[in-house]
Amino acid sequence: MPADRGGARCLLFPVQWEEPFGMVMIEDMACGTPVVALRGGAVAEVVADGVTGYIADHPAELPELLGRLDRLDAAACRRRVADLFDVDRLGSGYTAVYRQVLERRAAAATARVTDLDQLRRDYGDLDAARDRRYQRDHRRSGRTGRAPLSRHTGRPAEPSESAGAA
């Protein structure tokens, strides 16, 4: 084992929370140190179960997996890191994710504008239908003219409201 990892037989990673990336696992595997970890977060993305380490579902499984470390190959750990987590791959991966986020935000903003435009069209249609119904109902009742309506309630406006309306 590499001296900078103190000759460790493995990295024991019993974290019981959703580890978002697991850089420490990648660093150890880059040195040829296999990882024995509890499943969660990025563990299954980083560790190839049975190849570069072992993944357990329960803490009680960890001792048994530690007994199987002699079946793992340090070169396989280093290869996995080189294949999946080198600087170029991580950089292009981050760039792709950032682009996706920006595209989603732009699409969401466009959708909001489209939704707002549709709402305005629907409101205009509803308002026109209300006007037609109002006129029809008043023609039937023999009333003529239309009292100004309040912008807030849709009911006949108070004299102070209709005086300032343009």
Side-chain angles (χ1 to χ4, degrees):
M1 290 291 141
D4 62 339
R5 291 296 183 202
R9 291 188 56 222
C10 76
L11 167 68
L12 182 59
F13 197 75
V15 176
Q16 293 185 314
W17 67 290
E18 295 299 312
E19 171 64 42
F21 183 65
M23 183 59 82
V24 70
M25 293 183 287
I26 293 169
E27 289 170 345
D28 273 73
M29 287 172 40
C31 295
T33 305
V35 176
V36 177
L38 289 175
R39 186 178 312 280
V43 170
E45 248 182 277
V46 174
V47 179
D49 194 28
V51 179
T52 62
Y54 296 111
I55 300 173
D57 291 313
H58 303 288
E61 298 170 0
L62 294 173
E64 178 190 342
L65 296 176
L66 291 173
R68 297 185 200 167
L69 289 173
D70 59 335
R71 300 178 193 172
L72 301 175
D73 180 26
C77 295
R78 289 189 290 274
R79 259 192 320 274
R80 181 160 176 90
V81 170
D83 290 346
L84 298 179
F85 304 108
D86 71 334
V87 172
D88 290 336
R89 184 175 294 264
L90 284 177
S92 62
Y94 278 121
T95 301
V97 168
Y98 290 141
R99 283 191 178 129
Q100 288 173 359
V101 168
L102 291 174
E103 288 169 5
R104 285 185 197 138
R105 283 188 176 180
T110 300
R112 281 192 295 270
V113 168
T114 302
D115 291 346
L116 183 58
D117 291 342
Q118 183 64 46
L119 181 60
R120 286 180 178 143
R121 283 191 297 275
D122 291 346
Y123 177 78
D125 292 344
L126 289 170
D127 194 42
R130 184 179 58 109
D131 287 344
R132 286 190 302 273
R133 182 176 178 187
Y134 182 87
Q135 290 168 0
R136 184 185 66 233
D137 290 348
H138 283 80
R139 277 194 304 267
R140 286 183 191 158
S141 67
R143 289 186 268 174
T144 59
R146 178 176 177 191
L149 298 180
S150 167
R151 290 183 171 195
H152 303 290
T153 65
R155 297 184 181 131
E158 296 296 320
S160 62
E161 284 183 284
S162 60

mmCIF file of all heavy atoms in Angstrom, residues 15-38:
data_model
loop_
_atom_site.group_PDB
_atom_site.id
_atom_site.type_symbol
_atom_site.label_atom_id
_atom_site.label_comp_id
_atom_site.label_asym_id
_atom_site.label_seq_id
_atom_site.Cartn_x
_atom_site.Cartn_y
_atom_site.Cartn_z
ATOM 1 N N VAL A 15 -20.407 5.953 6.744
ATOM 2 C CA VAL A 15 -21.235 7.146 6.808
ATOM 3 C C VAL A 15 -22.692 6.766 6.563
ATOM 4 O O VAL A 15 -23.007 6.059 5.618
ATOM 5 C CB VAL A 15 -20.754 8.186 5.768
ATOM 6 C CG1 VAL A 15 -21.657 9.395 5.745
ATOM 7 C CG2 VAL A 15 -19.318 8.594 6.087
ATOM 8 N N GLN A 16 -23.565 7.243 7.439
ATOM 9 C CA GLN A 16 -24.992 6.917 7.326
ATOM 10 C C GLN A 16 -25.806 8.142 6.934
ATOM 11 O O GLN A 16 -26.881 8.361 7.456
ATOM 12 C CB GLN A 16 -25.499 6.320 8.635
ATOM 13 C CG GLN A 16 -24.884 4.972 8.911
ATOM 14 C CD GLN A 16 -25.474 4.328 10.148
ATOM 15 O OE1 GLN A 16 -25.620 4.955 11.182
ATOM 16 N NE2 GLN A 16 -25.818 3.067 10.018
ATOM 17 N N TRP A 17 -25.315 8.888 6.021
ATOM 18 C CA TRP A 17 -26.054 10.016 5.475
ATOM 19 C C TRP A 17 -25.811 10.025 3.979
ATOM 20 O O TRP A 17 -24.930 9.340 3.477
ATOM 21 C CB TRP A 17 -25.657 11.330 6.135
ATOM 22 C CG TRP A 17 -24.254 11.797 5.863
ATOM 23 C CD1 TRP A 17 -23.099 11.248 6.318
ATOM 24 C CD2 TRP A 17 -23.865 12.895 5.040
ATOM 25 N NE1 TRP A 17 -22.022 11.936 5.855
ATOM 26 C CE2 TRP A 17 -22.456 12.958 5.057
ATOM 27 C CE3 TRP A 17 -24.564 13.839 4.312
ATOM 28 C CZ2 TRP A 17 -21.734 13.911 4.377
ATOM 29 C CZ3 TRP A 17 -23.848 14.804 3.622
ATOM 30 C CH2 TRP A 17 -22.440 14.828 3.666
ATOM 31 N N GLU A 18 -26.560 10.801 3.256
ATOM 32 C CA GLU A 18 -26.474 10.813 1.799
ATOM 33 C C GLU A 18 -25.259 11.605 1.336
ATOM 34 O O GLU A 18 -25.361 12.770 0.957
ATOM 35 C CB GLU A 18 -27.772 11.365 1.187
ATOM 36 C CG GLU A 18 -28.981 10.495 1.456
ATOM 37 C CD GLU A 18 -28.854 9.098 0.870
ATOM 38 O OE1 GLU A 18 -28.481 8.951 -0.301
ATOM 39 O OE2 GLU A 18 -29.120 8.136 1.617
ATOM 40 N N GLU A 19 -24.115 10.960 1.366
ATOM 41 C CA GLU A 19 -22.853 11.569 0.932
ATOM 42 C C GLU A 19 -23.021 12.065 -0.503
ATOM 43 O O GLU A 19 -23.286 11.275 -1.402
ATOM 44 C CB GLU A 19 -21.744 10.524 1.005
ATOM 45 C CG GLU A 19 -20.436 10.939 0.390
ATOM 46 C CD GLU A 19 -19.782 12.109 1.087
ATOM 47 O OE1 GLU A 19 -19.780 12.145 2.321
ATOM 48 O OE2 GLU A 19 -19.285 13.002 0.384
ATOM 49 N N PRO A 20 -22.874 13.370 -0.734
ATOM 50 C CA PRO A 20 -23.158 13.887 -2.067
ATOM 51 C C PRO A 20 -22.116 13.548 -3.134
ATOM 52 O O PRO A 20 -22.450 13.458 -4.294
ATOM 53 C CB PRO A 20 -23.242 15.395 -1.857
ATOM 54 C CG PRO A 20 -22.488 15.650 -0.608
ATOM 55 C CD PRO A 20 -22.593 14.422 0.227
ATOM 56 N N PHE A 21 -20.851 13.354 -2.748
ATOM 57 C CA PHE A 21 -19.863 13.050 -3.787
ATOM 58 C C PHE A 21 -18.856 12.006 -3.335
ATOM 59 O O PHE A 21 -18.603 11.067 -4.059
ATOM 60 C CB PHE A 21 -19.164 14.309 -4.273
ATOM 61 C CG PHE A 21 -18.200 14.019 -5.392
ATOM 62 C CD1 PHE A 21 -18.664 13.564 -6.613
ATOM 63 C CD2 PHE A 21 -16.844 14.146 -5.219
ATOM 64 C CE1 PHE A 21 -17.781 13.267 -7.640
ATOM 65 C CE2 PHE A 21 -15.958 13.861 -6.243
ATOM 66 C CZ PHE A 21 -16.431 13.422 -7.454
ATOM 67 N N GLY A 22 -18.262 12.132 -2.220
ATOM 68 C CA GLY A 22 -17.332 11.117 -1.732
ATOM 69 C C GLY A 22 -15.903 11.278 -2.205
ATOM 70 O O GLY A 22 -15.258 10.304 -2.591
ATOM 71 N N MET A 23 -15.406 12.501 -2.188
ATOM 72 C CA MET A 23 -14.025 12.751 -2.634
ATOM 73 C C MET A 23 -13.022 11.909 -1.862
ATOM 74 O O MET A 23 -12.055 11.414 -2.430
ATOM 75 C CB MET A 23 -13.696 14.243 -2.489
ATOM 76 C CG MET A 23 -12.305 14.595 -2.988
ATOM 77 S SD MET A 23 -12.049 14.199 -4.728
ATOM 78 C CE MET A 23 -12.773 15.616 -5.488
ATOM 79 N N VAL A 24 -13.258 11.700 -0.584
ATOM 80 C CA VAL A 24 -12.304 10.921 0.210
ATOM 81 C C VAL A 24 -12.210 9.489 -0.316
ATOM 82 O O VAL A 24 -11.129 8.886 -0.335
ATOM 83 C CB VAL A 24 -12.658 10.982 1.722
ATOM 84 C CG1 VAL A 24 -13.920 10.205 2.033
ATOM 85 C CG2 VAL A 24 -11.504 10.455 2.560
ATOM 86 N N MET A 25 -13.318 8.930 -0.782
ATOM 87 C CA MET A 25 -13.273 7.577 -1.356
ATOM 88 C C MET A 25 -12.440 7.571 -2.630
ATOM 89 O O MET A 25 -11.634 6.660 -2.858
ATOM 90 C CB MET A 25 -14.694 7.077 -1.653
ATOM 91 C CG MET A 25 -15.537 6.848 -0.415
ATOM 92 S SD MET A 25 -17.172 6.179 -0.808
ATOM 93 C CE MET A 25 -17.981 7.617 -1.521
ATOM 94 N N ILE A 26 -12.610 8.568 -3.458
ATOM 95 C CA ILE A 26 -11.864 8.659 -4.717
ATOM 96 C C ILE A 26 -10.375 8.824 -4.436
ATOM 97 O O ILE A 26 -9.532 8.193 -5.081
ATOM 98 C CB ILE A 26 -12.410 9.813 -5.574
ATOM 99 C CG1 ILE A 26 -13.825 9.466 -6.031
ATOM 100 C CG2 ILE A 26 -11.504 10.087 -6.762
ATOM 101 C CD1 ILE A 26 -14.568 10.618 -6.659
ATOM 102 N N GLU A 27 -10.034 9.656 -3.463
ATOM 103 C CA GLU A 27 -8.624 9.872 -3.131
ATOM 104 C C GLU A 27 -7.971 8.572 -2.682
ATOM 105 O O GLU A 27 -6.859 8.256 -3.104
ATOM 106 C CB GLU A 27 -8.504 10.928 -2.029
ATOM 107 C CG GLU A 27 -8.842 12.326 -2.502
ATOM 108 C CD GLU A 27 -8.953 13.328 -1.363
ATOM 109 O OE1 GLU A 27 -9.043 12.906 -0.182
ATOM 110 O OE2 GLU A 27 -8.966 14.536 -1.654
ATOM 111 N N ASP A 28 -8.663 7.815 -1.838
ATOM 112 C CA ASP A 28 -8.080 6.556 -1.369
ATOM 113 C C ASP A 28 -7.972 5.543 -2.499
ATOM 114 O O ASP A 28 -6.956 4.850 -2.628
ATOM 115 C CB ASP A 28 -8.900 6.003 -0.207
ATOM 116 C CG ASP A 28 -8.424 6.577 1.118
ATOM 117 O OD1 ASP A 28 -8.703 7.758 1.371
ATOM 118 O OD2 ASP A 28 -7.753 5.843 1.868
ATOM 119 N N MET A 29 -9.003 5.440 -3.323
ATOM 120 C CA MET A 29 -8.952 4.497 -4.439
ATOM 121 C C MET A 29 -7.846 4.875 -5.425
ATOM 122 O O MET A 29 -7.213 3.997 -6.017
ATOM 123 C CB MET A 29 -10.310 4.421 -5.130
ATOM 124 C CG MET A 29 -11.342 3.670 -4.305
ATOM 125 S SD MET A 29 -13.034 3.728 -4.949
ATOM 126 C CE MET A 29 -12.857 3.585 -6.680
ATOM 127 N N ALA A 30 -7.578 6.175 -5.602
ATOM 128 C CA ALA A 30 -6.496 6.613 -6.486
ATOM 129 C C ALA A 30 -5.144 6.107 -5.985
ATOM 130 O O ALA A 30 -4.222 5.892 -6.775
ATOM 131 C CB ALA A 30 -6.477 8.137 -6.593
ATOM 132 N N CYS A 31 -5.047 5.879 -4.691
ATOM 133 C CA CYS A 31 -3.823 5.347 -4.094
ATOM 134 C C CYS A 31 -3.834 3.820 -4.050
ATOM 135 O O CYS A 31 -2.910 3.208 -3.494
ATOM 136 C CB CYS A 31 -3.652 5.886 -2.674
ATOM 137 S SG CYS A 31 -3.402 7.657 -2.618
ATOM 138 N N GLY A 32 -4.879 3.223 -4.592
ATOM 139 C CA GLY A 32 -4.965 1.766 -4.602
ATOM 140 C C GLY A 32 -5.607 1.192 -3.359
ATOM 141 O O GLY A 32 -5.557 -0.020 -3.132
ATOM 142 N N THR A 33 -6.204 2.021 -2.539
ATOM 143 C CA THR A 33 -6.832 1.565 -1.302
ATOM 144 C C THR A 33 -8.312 1.294 -1.560
ATOM 145 O O THR A 33 -9.051 2.204 -1.938
ATOM 146 C CB THR A 33 -6.693 2.640 -0.202
ATOM 147 O OG1 THR A 33 -5.315 2.960 -0.043
ATOM 148 C CG2 THR A 33 -7.266 2.152 1.119
ATOM 149 N N PRO A 34 -8.763 0.057 -1.348
ATOM 150 C CA PRO A 34 -10.184 -0.236 -1.554
ATOM 151 C C PRO A 34 -11.043 0.415 -0.473
ATOM 152 O O PRO A 34 -10.550 0.807 0.587
ATOM 153 C CB PRO A 34 -10.259 -1.760 -1.465
ATOM 154 C CG PRO A 34 -9.035 -2.184 -0.753
ATOM 155 C CD PRO A 34 -8.004 -1.113 -0.945
ATOM 156 N N VAL A 35 -12.342 0.516 -0.755
ATOM 157 C CA VAL A 35 -13.276 1.181 0.137
ATOM 158 C C VAL A 35 -14.337 0.181 0.591
ATOM 159 O O VAL A 35 -14.887 -0.558 -0.221
ATOM 160 C CB VAL A 35 -13.957 2.371 -0.576
ATOM 161 C CG1 VAL A 35 -15.002 3.021 0.312
ATOM 162 C CG2 VAL A 35 -12.920 3.390 -1.022
ATOM 163 N N VAL A 36 -14.609 0.178 1.881
ATOM 164 C CA VAL A 36 -15.720 -0.594 2.433
ATOM 165 C C VAL A 36 -16.671 0.436 3.031
ATOM 166 O O VAL A 36 -16.306 1.164 3.954
ATOM 167 C CB VAL A 36 -15.255 -1.607 3.504
ATOM 168 C CG1 VAL A 36 -16.445 -2.337 4.107
ATOM 169 C CG2 VAL A 36 -14.260 -2.590 2.894
ATOM 170 N N ALA A 37 -17.877 0.510 2.462
ATOM 171 C CA ALA A 37 -18.770 1.608 2.808
ATOM 172 C C ALA A 37 -20.204 1.143 2.967
ATOM 173 O O ALA A 37 -20.606 0.108 2.432
ATOM 174 C CB ALA A 37 -18.704 2.675 1.725
ATOM 175 N N LEU A 38 -20.951 1.948 3.693
ATOM 176 C CA LEU A 38 -22.400 1.749 3.753
ATOM 177 C C LEU A 38 -23.031 2.436 2.553
ATOM 178 O O LEU A 38 -22.609 3.527 2.156
ATOM 179 C CB LEU A 38 -22.965 2.339 5.045
ATOM 180 C CG LEU A 38 -22.621 1.581 6.325
ATOM 181 C CD1 LEU A 38 -23.140 2.336 7.541
ATOM 182 C CD2 LEU A 38 -23.208 0.175 6.283
#
